[in-house]
Amino acid sequence: MTTIAKLIAVTIDCAEPKKLAEFYSQITGFPVQYAEEEYAGIGDGATSIYFQRVPDREAPSWPGADKQFHLDFRVPDVATAVEEYVALGATKPEFQPGDWVVLADPEGHLFCVCPERS
């Protein structure tokens, strides 16, 4: 039998870890646990998102084959959340594929804002 692993964190490459940690802290409600120039993290005690400095990182195109990952967030009101996240520094690409909304964080990482399940 294969050992089952529990996901505890995701680490995202970025140019400004502290700035991106603050952005995601605001949209997830996770407090900033650690923030330095090279590395920062947010979490709720069970799950964490870390940000590590990679100065030459380039944002993927959307839509495009160079996208390596994206995060999905479920919210009670998609339109309101999108408006708030854009006010925090996210951008909304023109191409939108479904009942959810694709946004890019301030450094161009893509994430989806999804409605609650019915």
Side-chain angles (χ1 to χ4, degrees):
M1 180 175 169
T2 302
T3 300
I4 302 299
K6 180 179 179 182
L7 179 66
I8 58 169
V10 173
T11 301
I12 299 174
D13 294 346
C14 61
E16 298 183 67
K18 289 168 69 173
K19 181 178 176 182
L20 215 52
E22 183 58 36
F23 173 82
Y24 281 104
S25 174
Q26 290 184 50
I27 70 168
T28 63
F30 290 0
V32 175
Q33 298 171 323
Y34 182 80
E36 296 293 334
E37 294 303 317
E38 296 294 318
Y39 201 73
I42 65 171
D44 67 356
T47 304
S48 298
I49 305 173
Y50 297 120
F51 308 91
Q52 70 180 11
R53 188 171 183 275
V54 177
D56 297 329
R57 185 197 156 272
E58 293 184 24
S61 59
W62 173 250
D66 57 340
K67 178 176 71 74
Q68 296 180 349
F69 75 93
H70 70 273
L71 301 173
D72 291 336
F73 297 102
R74 191 169 306 285
V75 298
D77 182 328
V78 172
T80 298
V82 167
E83 184 178 310
E84 293 169 350
Y85 302 164
V86 168
L88 292 171
T91 56
K92 183 179 175 185
E94 186 175 324
F95 177 71
Q96 296 294 322
D99 294 336
W100 59 93
V101 175
V102 176
L103 295 178
D105 72 21
E107 290 202 18
H109 302 96
L110 299 169
F111 66 97
C112 294
V113 183
C114 305
E116 290 186 333
R117 293 182 177 150
S118 52

